[in-house]
Amino acid sequence: MNGKKVKYIIAGIIAILVGYIIYDSSSQPTFNDLKGNFKEVALYRNPNNTGPILRIYAVTVQGEPWEEMQKYGDLMPYTKYGNTKVFFFQEGKSVPASLVLEEPNFDAQFQQNCIARYEKDANGQVSLSKKPFNP
């Protein structure tokens, strides 16, 4: 084999590798791929950057696409040893405009409209609770 063929083979391998990297990074699921017309309406993030980062979201959704809610929560930012919560509310019903750190994280008047709560805790355990405030 001469040196020119080796260069073409190496260039071909690099081109295939770069093509795969671009394809893989552009084919990752995003919020826009989910059914349910999710809209973030409120966010709380604690100001502490030296300890666990706590994120709480209020999101509206059309219908009750439970699997899509799970996927939505999985796509949300998460920090190791932190906590991420997403409260889902039916679109068109009243939702909290702001969230707080203290449980239940928003005014009790909105609890009846909360259809699900997604949580990823400090240990990385994920849960999706349907109707978390209704018995």
Side-chain angles (χ1 to χ4, degrees):
M1 244 194 223
N2 64 25
K4 204 171 192 182
K5 282 187 179 180
V6 171
K7 287 181 185 178
Y8 283 129
I9 291 172
I10 291 173
I13 291 171
I14 291 172
I16 290 171
L17 184 61
V18 168
Y20 174 75
I21 291 170
I22 291 171
Y23 167 77
D24 188 54
S25 64
S26 65
S27 65
Q28 296 296 316
T30 66
F31 296 112
N32 296 330
D33 297 328
L34 301 175
K35 296 175 184 122
N37 195 27
F38 293 91
K39 290 188 181 119
E40 183 180 312
V41 293
L43 161 68
Y44 173 85
R45 183 191 182 283
N46 67 325
N48 183 1
N49 286 326
T50 58
I53 296 175
L54 308 172
R55 294 179 177 95
I56 306 167
Y57 299 88
V59 176
T60 60
V61 62
Q62 290 177 341
E64 294 180 349
W66 305 116
E67 289 181 21
E68 300 293 296
M69 290 181 207
Q70 178 77 39
K71 291 176 188 174
Y72 186 94
D74 291 342
L75 289 171
M76 296 304 280
Y78 173 75
T79 306
K80 188 174 182 180
Y81 305 120
N83 188 298
T84 297
K85 287 184 195 176
V86 183
F87 292 97
F88 295 98
F89 296 87
Q90 196 63 247
E91 185 179 71
K93 297 205 175 181
S94 58
V95 299
S98 63
L99 301 164
V100 295
L101 181 60
E102 296 78 29
E103 295 281 340
N105 306 116
F106 52 86
D107 195 303
Q109 72 181 7
F110 301 108
Q111 288 180 354
Q112 65 191 20
N113 297 336
C114 182
I115 59 172
R117 178 182 66 216
Y118 171 96
E119 185 169 2
K120 189 168 190 178
D121 68 17
N123 296 320
Q125 298 294 320
V126 172
S127 65
L128 180 69
S129 306
K130 297 176 183 179
K131 314 259 188 215
F133 298 103
N134 299 340

